[in-house]
Structure formats: C-alpha cells, structure tokens
Coordinates of all heavy atoms in Angstrom, one line a residue:
M1 N 176.2 172.8 92.8 CA 175.5 172.9 94.0 C 176.4 173.5 95.1 O 177.6 173.2 95.2 CB 175.0 171.5 94.5 CG 174.3 171.6 95.9 SD 173.8 170.0 96.5 CE 172.2 169.9 95.6
V2 N 175.9 174.4 95.8 CA 176.7 175.1 96.9 C 176.8 174.2 98.1 O 175.8 173.7 98.6 CB 176.0 176.5 97.3 CG1 176.7 177.1 98.4 CG2 176.0 177.4 96.1
K3 N 178.0 174.1 98.6 CA 178.2 173.3 99.8 C 178.1 174.2 101.0 O 178.4 175.4 101.0 CB 179.6 172.6 99.8 CG 179.7 171.5 98.8 CD 181.1 170.9 98.8 CE 181.2 170.0 100.0 NZ 182.4 169.2 100.0
I4 N 177.6 173.7 102.1 CA 177.3 174.4 103.3 C 178.2 173.8 104.5 O 178.1 172.6 104.7 CB 175.8 174.4 103.7 CG1 175.0 175.0 102.6 CG2 175.6 175.2 105.0 CD1 173.5 174.9 102.8
A5 N 178.9 174.7 105.2 CA 179.7 174.3 106.3 C 179.1 174.9 107.6 O 178.5 176.0 107.6 CB 181.1 174.7 106.2
V6 N 179.3 174.2 108.7 CA 178.9 174.8 110.0 C 180.1 174.7 110.9 O 180.7 173.6 111.1 CB 177.7 174.0 110.6 CG1 177.2 174.7 111.9 CG2 176.5 173.9 109.6
L7 N 180.5 175.8 111.5 CA 181.7 175.9 112.3 C 181.3 176.4 113.7 O 180.6 177.4 113.9 CB 182.7 176.9 111.6 CG 184.0 177.2 112.3 CD1 184.8 176.0 112.5 CD2 184.7 178.3 111.6
G8 N 181.8 175.7 114.7 CA 181.5 176.1 116.1 C 181.9 175.0 117.1 O 182.4 174.0 116.7
D9 N 181.5 175.3 118.3 CA 181.8 174.2 119.3 C 180.9 173.0 119.1 O 179.9 173.1 118.5 CB 181.6 174.8 120.8 CG 180.1 175.2 120.9 OD1 179.7 176.3 120.6 OD2 179.3 174.3 121.5
T10 N 181.4 171.8 119.5 CA 180.8 170.6 119.1 C 179.4 170.5 119.6 O 178.5 170.1 118.8 CB 181.6 169.4 119.8 OG1 183.0 169.5 119.4 CG2 181.0 168.1 119.4
E11 N 179.1 170.9 120.8 CA 177.7 170.8 121.3 C 176.7 171.6 120.5 O 175.6 171.3 120.3 CB 177.6 171.2 122.7 CG 178.1 170.2 123.7 CD 177.3 168.9 123.6 OE1 176.1 168.9 123.7 OE2 178.0 167.8 123.5
S12 N 177.2 172.8 120.0 CA 176.3 173.7 119.2 C 176.0 173.2 117.8 O 175.0 173.5 117.3 CB 176.9 175.1 119.2 OG 176.9 175.6 120.5
I13 N 176.9 172.5 117.2 CA 176.8 172.2 115.8 C 176.5 170.8 115.4 O 176.2 170.5 114.3 CB 178.0 172.7 115.0 CG1 179.3 171.9 115.3 CG2 178.3 174.2 115.2 CD1 180.4 172.1 114.4
K14 N 176.7 169.8 116.3 CA 176.6 168.4 115.9 C 175.2 168.1 115.3 O 175.2 167.2 114.5 CB 176.9 167.5 117.1 CG 176.0 167.6 118.3 CD 176.5 166.7 119.4 CE 175.6 166.9 120.7 NZ 176.1 166.1 121.8
G15 N 174.1 168.7 115.7 CA 172.8 168.4 115.1 C 172.7 168.8 113.6 O 171.9 168.2 112.9
F16 N 173.6 169.7 113.1 CA 173.5 170.0 111.7 C 174.0 168.9 110.8 O 173.6 168.9 109.6 CB 174.4 171.3 111.5 CG 173.8 172.5 112.0 CD1 174.2 173.0 113.3 CD2 172.8 173.2 111.3 CE1 173.6 174.2 113.8 CE2 172.3 174.4 111.8 CZ 172.7 174.9 113.1
A17 N 174.7 168.0 111.3 CA 175.1 166.8 110.5 C 173.9 165.9 110.2 O 173.9 165.3 109.1 CB 176.1 166.0 111.3
C18 N 172.9 166.0 111.0 CA 171.7 165.2 110.7 C 170.9 165.6 109.5 O 170.2 164.9 108.9 CB 170.8 165.2 111.9 SG 171.4 164.4 113.4
V19 N 171.1 166.9 109.1 CA 170.4 167.4 108.0 C 171.4 167.5 106.7 O 171.0 168.1 105.8 CB 169.8 168.8 108.2 CG1 168.6 168.6 109.2 CG2 170.7 169.8 108.7
G20 N 172.5 166.9 106.9 CA 173.4 166.8 105.7 C 174.4 167.9 105.5 O 175.1 167.9 104.5
L21 N 174.6 168.8 106.5 CA 175.6 169.8 106.4 C 176.9 169.3 106.9 O 177.0 168.4 107.7 CB 175.2 171.0 107.2 CG 173.8 171.6 106.8 CD1 173.5 172.9 107.7 CD2 173.7 172.0 105.4
D22 N 178.0 169.9 106.3 CA 179.3 169.5 106.8 C 179.7 170.3 108.0 O 179.6 171.5 108.0 CB 180.4 169.8 105.7 CG 180.2 169.0 104.4 OD1 179.5 168.0 104.5 OD2 180.7 169.4 103.4
I23 N 179.9 169.6 109.1 CA 180.2 170.2 110.4 C 181.7 170.2 110.7 O 182.4 169.3 110.3 CB 179.5 169.6 111.6 CG1 179.8 168.2 111.8 CG2 178.0 169.8 111.4 CD1 179.3 167.6 113.2
F24 N 182.2 171.3 111.3 CA 183.6 171.5 111.6 C 183.7 171.9 113.1 O 183.7 173.1 113.4 CB 184.3 172.4 110.7 CG 184.3 172.0 109.3 CD1 183.3 172.2 108.4 CD2 185.4 171.2 108.8 CE1 183.3 171.8 107.1 CE2 185.4 170.7 107.5 CZ 184.3 171.0 106.7
P25 N 183.8 170.9 114.0 CA 183.8 171.3 115.4 C 185.2 172.0 115.7 O 186.2 171.6 115.2 CB 183.8 170.0 116.1 CG 183.3 169.0 115.1 CD 183.7 169.5 113.8
C26 N 185.1 173.1 116.5 CA 186.2 173.8 116.9 C 186.1 174.2 118.4 O 185.5 175.2 118.7 CB 186.3 175.1 116.0 SG 187.8 176.0 116.4
D27 N 186.6 173.3 119.2 CA 186.5 173.6 120.7 C 187.7 174.3 121.2 O 187.7 174.7 122.4 CB 186.3 172.2 121.4 CG 184.9 171.6 121.0 OD1 183.9 172.3 121.0 OD2 184.9 170.4 120.7
D28 N 188.7 174.4 120.4 CA 189.9 175.1 120.8 C 190.0 176.4 120.0 O 190.2 176.4 118.8 CB 191.2 174.3 120.5 CG 192.5 175.0 120.8 OD1 192.4 176.1 121.4 OD2 193.5 174.4 120.5
P29 N 189.7 177.6 120.7 CA 189.8 178.9 120.0 C 191.1 179.2 119.2 O 191.1 179.9 118.2 CB 189.5 179.9 121.0 CG 188.9 179.1 122.2 CD 189.4 177.7 122.1
G30 N 192.2 178.5 119.6 CA 193.4 178.7 119.0 C 193.5 178.2 117.6 O 194.3 178.6 116.7
N31 N 192.6 177.2 117.3 CA 192.5 176.6 115.9 C 191.5 177.3 115.0 O 191.4 176.9 113.8 CB 192.2 175.1 116.0 CG 193.3 174.4 116.7 OD1 194.5 174.7 116.6 ND2 193.0 173.3 117.3
A32 N 190.7 178.2 115.6 CA 189.6 178.7 114.9 C 189.9 179.5 113.6 O 189.3 179.3 112.5 CB 188.8 179.6 115.8
A33 N 190.9 180.3 113.7 CA 191.3 181.2 112.5 C 191.8 180.3 111.3 O 191.4 180.5 110.2 CB 192.4 182.2 112.9
S34 N 192.6 179.3 111.6 CA 193.1 178.5 110.5 C 192.0 177.6 109.9 O 192.0 177.4 108.7 CB 194.3 177.6 111.0 OG 193.9 176.7 112.0
L35 N 191.1 177.1 110.7 CA 190.0 176.3 110.2 C 189.1 177.2 109.4 O 188.6 176.8 108.3 CB 189.3 175.7 111.4 CG 188.1 174.8 111.0 CD1 188.5 173.7 110.1 CD2 187.5 174.1 112.3
F36 N 188.8 178.4 109.9 CA 188.0 179.4 109.1 C 188.6 179.7 107.8 O 187.9 179.7 106.7 CB 187.8 180.6 109.9 CG 187.0 181.7 109.2 CD1 185.6 181.5 109.1 CD2 187.6 182.8 108.7 CE1 184.9 182.5 108.4 CE2 186.9 183.8 108.0 CZ 185.5 183.6 107.9
R37 N 189.9 179.9 107.7 CA 190.6 180.2 106.4 C 190.5 179.0 105.5 O 190.3 179.2 104.3 CB 192.1 180.6 106.7 CG 192.2 182.0 107.2 CD 193.7 182.4 107.2 NE 194.5 181.7 108.1 CZ 194.7 182.0 109.4 NH1 194.1 183.1 109.9 NH2 195.4 181.3 110.2
K38 N 190.6 177.8 106.0 CA 190.4 176.6 105.2 C 189.0 176.6 104.6 O 188.9 176.2 103.4 CB 190.7 175.4 106.1 CG 190.5 174.1 105.4 CD 190.6 172.9 106.3 CE 190.1 171.6 105.7 NZ 190.1 170.5 106.6
L39 N 188.0 176.9 105.4 CA 186.7 176.8 104.9 C 186.3 177.9 103.8 O 185.4 177.7 103.0 CB 185.7 176.9 106.0 CG 185.7 175.7 107.0 CD1 184.7 176.0 108.2 CD2 185.4 174.4 106.3
T40 N 187.0 179.0 103.9 CA 186.8 180.1 103.0 C 187.6 180.0 101.7 O 187.6 180.9 100.9 CB 187.1 181.5 103.6 OG1 188.4 181.5 104.1 CG2 186.1 181.7 104.8
G41 N 188.3 178.9 101.5 CA 189.1 178.6 100.4 C 188.4 178.4 99.1 O 189.1 178.3 98.0
G42 N 187.1 178.4 99.0 CA 186.4 178.2 97.8 C 185.4 177.1 97.7 O 184.6 177.0 96.8
E43 N 185.6 176.1 98.5 CA 184.7 174.9 98.5 C 183.3 175.1 99.0 O 182.4 174.5 98.5 CB 185.4 173.8 99.3 CG 184.7 172.4 99.1 CD 185.4 171.3 99.8 OE1 186.5 171.5 100.4 OE2 184.8 170.2 99.8
Y44 N 183.2 176.1 99.9 CA 181.9 176.3 100.6 C 181.3 177.7 100.2 O 182.0 178.7 100.2 CB 182.0 176.2 102.1 CG 182.3 174.8 102.5 CD1 183.6 174.4 102.7 CD2 181.3 173.9 102.7 CE1 183.9 173.0 103.1 CE2 181.5 172.6 103.0 CZ 182.8 172.1 103.2 OH 183.1 170.8 103.6
G45 N 180.0 177.7 99.9 CA 179.4 178.9 99.5 C 178.7 179.6 100.7 O 178.4 180.8 100.7
I46 N 178.3 178.8 101.7 CA 177.7 179.3 102.9 C 178.4 178.7 104.1 O 178.7 177.5 104.2 CB 176.2 178.9 103.0 CG1 175.5 179.5 101.8 CG2 175.6 179.3 104.3 CD1 174.0 179.0 101.6
I47 N 178.8 179.5 105.1 CA 179.4 179.1 106.3 C 178.6 179.6 107.5 O 178.5 180.8 107.7 CB 180.8 179.6 106.4 CG1 181.7 179.0 105.2 CG2 181.4 179.1 107.7 CD1 183.1 179.6 105.1
Y48 N 177.9 178.7 108.2 CA 177.2 179.1 109.4 C 178.3 179.0 110.5 O 179.1 178.0 110.5 CB 176.1 178.1 109.7 CG 174.9 178.3 108.8 CD1 174.6 177.3 107.8 CD2 174.0 179.4 108.9 CE1 173.6 177.5 107.0 CE2 173.0 179.5 108.1 CZ 172.7 178.6 107.1 OH 171.7 178.7 106.3
M49 N 178.3 179.9 111.4 CA 179.3 180.0 112.5 C 178.6 180.4 113.8 O 177.8 181.3 113.8 CB 180.4 180.9 112.1 CG 181.4 181.2 113.1 SD 182.6 182.5 112.6 CE 183.3 181.7 111.2
T50 N 179.0 179.8 114.9 CA 178.4 180.2 116.1 C 178.8 181.6 116.4 O 179.9 182.1 116.1 CB 178.8 179.3 117.3 OG1 180.2 179.3 117.4 CG2 178.3 177.9 117.1
E51 N 177.9 182.3 117.1 CA 178.2 183.7 117.4 C 179.4 183.9 118.3 O 180.2 184.8 118.1 CB 176.9 184.4 118.1 CG 175.8 184.5 117.2 CD 174.5 185.1 117.9 OE1 174.4 184.9 119.1 OE2 173.7 185.7 117.2
A52 N 179.6 182.9 119.2 CA 180.8 183.0 120.1 C 182.0 183.0 119.3 O 183.0 183.7 119.5 CB 180.7 181.9 121.1
L53 N 182.1 182.1 118.3 CA 183.3 182.0 117.5 C 183.4 183.2 116.5 O 184.5 183.7 116.3 CB 183.2 180.7 116.7 CG 184.5 180.2 116.1 CD1 185.6 180.0 117.1 CD2 184.2 178.8 115.4
A54 N 182.3 183.7 116.0 CA 182.3 184.8 115.2 C 182.9 186.1 115.9 O 183.6 186.9 115.3 CB 180.9 185.1 114.6
S55 N 182.6 186.2 117.2 CA 183.1 187.3 117.9 C 184.6 187.2 118.1 O 185.3 188.3 118.2 CB 182.4 187.4 119.3 OG 182.8 186.3 120.1
Q56 N 185.2 186.1 118.0 CA 186.6 185.9 118.1 C 187.3 186.1 116.8 O 188.5 186.4 116.7 CB 187.0 184.5 118.6 CG 186.5 184.2 120.0 CD 186.7 182.7 120.3 OE1 187.4 182.0 119.7 NE2 186.0 182.2 121.3
L57 N 186.6 186.0 115.7 CA 187.1 186.1 114.3 C 186.7 187.3 113.5 O 186.6 187.2 112.3 CB 186.8 184.8 113.6 CG 187.3 183.5 114.1 CD1 186.8 182.3 113.4 CD2 188.9 183.5 114.2
K58 N 186.3 188.4 114.2 CA 185.8 189.6 113.6 C 186.6 190.0 112.4 O 186.1 190.4 111.3 CB 185.6 190.7 114.6 CG 184.4 190.5 115.5 CD 184.3 191.6 116.5 CE 183.2 191.4 117.5 NZ 183.1 192.4 118.5
E59 N 187.9 190.1 112.6 CA 188.8 190.6 111.5 C 188.9 189.7 110.4 O 188.9 190.1 109.2 CB 190.2 190.8 112.1 CG 190.3 192.0 113.1 CD 191.7 192.2 113.6 OE1 192.7 191.6 113.1 OE2 191.8 192.9 114.7
E60 N 188.9 188.4 110.6 CA 188.9 187.4 109.5 C 187.6 187.5 108.7 O 187.6 187.4 107.5 CB 189.1 186.0 110.1 CG 190.4 185.7 110.7 CD 191.5 185.4 109.7 OE1 191.1 185.0 108.5 OE2 192.6 185.5 110.0
I61 N 186.5 187.6 109.4 CA 185.2 187.7 108.8 C 185.0 188.9 108.0 O 184.4 188.9 106.9 CB 184.0 187.5 109.9 CG1 184.1 186.1 110.5 CG2 182.7 187.8 109.3 CD1 183.2 186.0 111.7
A62 N 185.5 190.0 108.5 CA 185.4 191.3 107.8 C 186.0 191.3 106.4 O 185.5 192.1 105.6 CB 186.1 192.4 108.7
R63 N 187.0 190.5 106.2 CA 187.5 190.4 104.8 C 186.5 189.9 103.8 O 186.7 190.1 102.6 CB 188.7 189.4 104.8 CG 189.9 189.8 105.6 CD 191.0 188.9 105.5 NE 190.7 187.6 104.8 CZ 191.4 186.5 104.8 NH1 192.5 186.5 105.6 NH2 191.0 185.5 104.1
F64 N 185.4 189.3 104.2 CA 184.4 188.7 103.3 C 183.2 189.6 103.3 O 182.2 189.2 102.6 CB 184.1 187.3 103.7 CG 185.3 186.4 103.5 CD1 186.1 186.1 104.6 CD2 185.6 185.8 102.3 CE1 187.3 185.3 104.5 CE2 186.8 185.1 102.1 CZ 187.6 184.8 103.2
D65 N 183.2 190.7 103.9 CA 182.0 191.5 104.0 C 181.5 192.0 102.6 O 180.3 192.2 102.4 CB 182.2 192.8 104.9 CG 182.1 192.4 106.4 OD1 181.6 191.3 106.7 OD2 182.4 193.2 107.2
T66 N 182.4 192.2 101.7 CA 182.0 192.7 100.4 C 182.0 191.6 99.3 O 181.7 191.9 98.2 CB 182.9 193.9 99.9 OG1 184.3 193.4 99.9 CG2 182.7 195.1 100.9
A67 N 182.4 190.4 99.7 CA 182.5 189.3 98.8 C 181.1 188.6 98.6 O 180.3 188.6 99.5 CB 183.5 188.3 99.3
L68 N 180.9 188.2 97.4 CA 179.6 187.4 97.2 C 179.6 186.1 97.9 O 178.6 185.7 98.5 CB 179.4 187.2 95.7 CG 178.2 186.5 95.2 CD1 176.9 187.3 95.7 CD2 178.2 186.3 93.7
L69 N 180.7 185.4 97.8 CA 180.8 184.1 98.5 C 182.1 184.0 99.2 O 183.1 184.6 98.7 CB 180.7 182.9 97.4 CG 179.4 182.8 96.7 CD1 179.5 181.7 95.7 CD2 178.3 182.4 97.7
P70 N 182.2 183.3 100.3 CA 181.1 182.6 100.9 C 180.3 183.6 101.8 O 180.8 184.6 102.3 CB 181.8 181.6 101.8 CG 183.1 182.3 102.2 CD 183.5 183.1 101.0
A71 N 179.0 183.2 101.9 CA 178.1 184.0 102.9 C 178.4 183.4 104.3 O 178.4 182.2 104.5 CB 176.7 183.7 102.5
I72 N 178.8 184.3 105.2 CA 179.1 183.9 106.5 C 178.0 184.4 107.4 O 177.7 185.6 107.5 CB 180.5 184.5 107.0 CG1 181.5 184.0 106.0 CG2 180.8 184.1 108.4 CD1 182.8 184.8 106.0
I73 N 177.3 183.4 108.1 CA 176.1 183.7 108.8 C 176.3 183.2 110.3 O 176.4 182.0 110.5 CB 174.9 182.9 108.2 CG1 174.8 183.4 106.7 CG2 173.6 183.2 109.0 CD1 173.9 182.5 105.9
P74 N 176.4 184.2 111.2 CA 176.5 183.8 112.6 C 175.1 183.2 113.1 O 174.1 183.8 112.8 CB 176.8 185.1 113.3 CG 177.3 186.0 112.2 CD 176.6 185.6 111.0
I75 N 175.2 182.2 113.9 CA 174.0 181.6 114.5 C 174.3 181.4 116.0 O 175.4 181.3 116.5 CB 173.8 180.2 113.9 CG1 175.0 179.3 114.1 CG2 173.3 180.3 112.4 CD1 174.8 177.8 113.6
P76 N 173.2 181.4 116.8 CA 173.3 181.2 118.3 C 173.9 179.8 118.6 O 173.6 178.9 117.8 CB 171.9 181.3 118.8 CG 171.1 182.0 117.7 CD 171.8 181.7 116.5
G77 N 174.7 179.7 119.6 CA 175.2 178.4 120.1 C 174.4 178.0 121.3 O 173.3 178.6 121.6
V78 N 174.8 176.9 121.9 CA 174.1 176.4 123.1 C 174.1 177.3 124.2 O 173.3 177.2 125.1 CB 174.7 175.0 123.5 CG1 174.4 173.9 122.4 CG2 176.1 175.0 123.8
T79 N 175.1 178.3 124.2 CA 175.1 179.2 125.4 C 174.1 180.4 125.2 O 174.0 181.2 126.1 CB 176.6 179.8 125.5 OG1 176.9 180.4 124.3 CG2 177.5 178.7 125.9
G80 N 173.5 180.4 124.1 CA 172.5 181.5 123.9 C 172.8 182.4 122.8 O 173.8 182.4 122.1
N81 N 171.9 183.4 122.6 CA 172.0 184.4 121.5 C 172.7 185.6 122.1 O 172.4 186.2 123.1 CB 170.6 184.8 121.1 CG 170.6 185.7 119.9 OD1 171.6 186.2 119.5 ND2 169.4 185.9 119.4
T82 N 173.8 186.1 121.4 CA 174.5 187.3 121.8 C 174.1 188.5 121.0 O 174.5 189.6 121.3 CB 176.0 187.0 121.6 OG1 176.3 186.9 120.2 CG2 176.5 185.9 122.4
G83 N 173.3 188.3 120.0 CA 172.9 189.4 119.1 C 173.8 189.7 117.9 O 173.4 190.6 117.1
I84 N 174.9 189.1 117.8 CA 175.8 189.3 116.7 C 175.2 188.9 115.4 O 175.3 189.7 114.4 CB 177.1 188.5 116.9 CG1 177.9 189.1 118.1 CG2 178.0 188.5 115.6 CD1 179.1 188.2 118.5
G85 N 174.5 187.8 115.3 CA 173.8 187.4 114.1 C 172.8 188.3 113.6 O 172.8 188.7 112.4
I86 N 171.9 188.8 114.4 CA 170.9 189.7 114.0 C 171.4 191.1 113.6 O 171.0 191.7 112.7 CB 169.7 189.9 115.1 CG1 168.5 190.5 114.4 CG2 170.2 190.6 116.3 CD1 167.8 189.7 113.5
A87 N 172.5 191.5 114.3 CA 173.2 192.8 114.0 C 173.8 192.7 112.6 O 173.7 193.6 111.8 CB 174.2 193.1 115.0
R88 N 174.4 191.6 112.3 CA 175.1 191.4 111.0 C 174.0 191.3 109.9 O 174.2 191.9 108.8 CB 175.9 190.1 111.0 CG 176.7 189.9 109.8 CD 177.7 188.8 110.0 NE 178.3 188.4 108.7 CZ 179.4 189.0 108.2 NH1 179.9 190.0 108.8 NH2 179.9 188.5 107.0
L89 N 172.9 190.7 110.2 CA 171.8 190.6 109.2 C 171.2 192.0 109.0 O 171.0 192.3 107.8 CB 170.7 189.6 109.7 CG 169.5 189.5 108.9 CD1 169.8 189.0 107.5 CD2 168.4 188.6 109.5
S90 N 171.0 192.7 110.0 CA 170.5 194.1 109.9 C 171.4 194.9 109.0 O 170.9 195.7 108.2 CB 170.3 194.7 111.3 OG 169.7 196.0 111.2
T91 N 172.7 194.9 109.3 CA 173.6 195.7 108.5 C 173.6 195.3 107.0 O 173.6 196.1 106.1 CB 175.0 195.5 109.0 OG1 175.1 195.9 110.4 CG2 176.1 196.3 108.2
S92 N 173.5 194.0 106.7 CA 173.5 193.5 105.3 C 172.2 193.9 104.6 O 172.2 194.4 103.5 CB 173.6 192.0 105.3 OG 174.8 191.5 105.8
V93 N 171.1 193.9 105.3 CA 169.8 194.3 104.7 C 169.8 195.8 104.5 O 169.4 196.2 103.4 CB 168.6 193.9 105.7 CG1 167.3 194.6 105.2 CG2 168.4 192.4 105.7
E94 N 170.4 196.5 105.4 CA 170.4 198.0 105.2 C 171.3 198.3 104.0 O 171.0 199.2 103.3 CB 171.0 198.6 106.5 CG 170.9 200.1 106.5 CD 171.2 200.8 107.8 OE1 171.3 200.1 108.8 OE2 171.3 202.0 107.8
K95 N 172.4 197.6 103.8 CA 173.3 197.9 102.7 C 172.5 197.5 101.4 O 172.6 198.2 100.4 CB 174.5 197.1 102.7 CG 175.6 197.6 103.7 CD 176.8 196.7 103.7 CE 177.8 197.1 104.8 NZ 178.9 196.2 104.8
A96 N 171.8 196.4 101.4 CA 171.1 196.0 100.2 C 169.9 196.8 99.8 O 169.7 197.1 98.6 CB 170.7 194.5 100.3
V97 N 169.1 197.2 100.8 CA 167.9 197.9 100.6 C 168.0 199.4 100.7 O 167.2 200.1 100.1 CB 166.8 197.3 101.6 CG1 165.5 198.0 101.4 CG2 166.6 195.8 101.4
G98 N 168.9 199.8 101.5 CA 169.1 201.3 101.7 C 168.4 201.7 103.0 O 168.4 202.9 103.3
S99 N 167.8 200.8 103.7 CA 167.1 201.2 104.9 C 167.0 199.9 105.8 O 166.9 198.8 105.3 CB 165.7 201.6 104.6 OG 164.9 201.9 105.8
D100 N 167.0 200.1 107.1 CA 166.9 199.0 108.1 C 165.4 198.6 108.1 O 164.6 199.4 108.6 CB 167.4 199.4 109.4 CG 167.4 198.3 110.4 OD1 167.1 197.1 110.0 OD2 167.7 198.5 111.6
I101 N 165.1 197.5 107.6 CA 163.7 197.0 107.6 C 163.4 195.9 108.6 O 162.3 195.4 108.7 CB 163.2 196.5 106.2 CG1 164.1 195.4 105.7 CG2 163.3 197.7 105.2 CD1 163.6 194.7 104.5
I102 N 164.4 195.6 109.4 CA 164.2 194.6 110.5 C 163.9 195.3 111.8 O 164.6 196.1 112.3 CB 165.5 193.8 110.7 CG1 165.8 193.0 109.4 CG2 165.3 192.8 111.8 CD1 167.1 192.3 109.4
F103 N 162.7 195.1 112.2 CA 162.2 195.8 113.4 C 162.3 194.8 114.6 O 161.9 193.7 114.5 CB 160.8 196.2 113.3 CG 160.6 197.1 112.1 CD1 159.9 196.7 110.9 CD2 161.1 198.4 112.1 CE1 159.8 197.5 109.8 CE2 160.9 199.3 111.0 CZ 160.2 198.8 109.9
E104 N 162.8 195.3 115.7 CA 162.8 194.6 117.0 C 161.4 194.8 117.7 O 160.9 195.9 117.7 CB 163.9 194.9 117.9 CG 165.2 194.5 117.3 CD 166.4 194.6 118.2 OE1 166.2 194.5 119.4 OE2 167.5 194.9 117.8
K105 N 160.9 193.8 118.4 CA 159.7 193.9 119.1 C 159.9 194.4 120.5 O 160.9 194.2 121.1 CB 159.0 192.6 119.1 CG 158.5 192.2 117.7 CD 157.8 190.9 117.8 CE 157.4 190.5 116.3 NZ 156.7 189.3 116.3

C-alpha cells in the first residue's frame, strides 16, 4: 500500500490527519528542504505539499519531475490558491497526453 504524506504549514494541513494521512507540519521554511528530502526517501508514494512551500522548493521538486514515485502534488493552503498546483497538473497532463486538455473557464 502506498503511504501518503502532507507537508506544509500547520494550519493548512492539520485536517488531513482526520482522514488518516501522515502530516508533517513545517512552519519554519529553513527546515523545509531537509524535511522534504526525508519524505522523498522511499517510504511515501504521494506527497501533497502546500503551494507556498512548493514555491520555496522548486529545485528540490524538479529532481522528481521524471520519476514515477513519489508523486508530488501542490495543494492550496489557508492563504489561498497561487496557481502553482494547476500549472503543474497542466504540464503533467500535456506531457502524458501530448496536448493541454485542461481548460480554464
């Protein structure tokens, strides 16, 4: 079974514990890179990460762009949607399908 981790500021991710996901609060951006590297060590197949944190770890995340696992999925935090998640999804779909099939309204 694939384990799922959620990484981000405490307020944005604490609700994910209620549905059984492993949460990893990171309120200090200085610790983000080392915590991210720990999570990508092989135990987790899916890592949800707040968009704010993902914007700080672009280079770390880029190392996994061509890897099958872990899937790194940016999600909006309590501060709102920055568009990073949908942009990353659109790029992934375009690579897989050969065309951008996600339309904005």
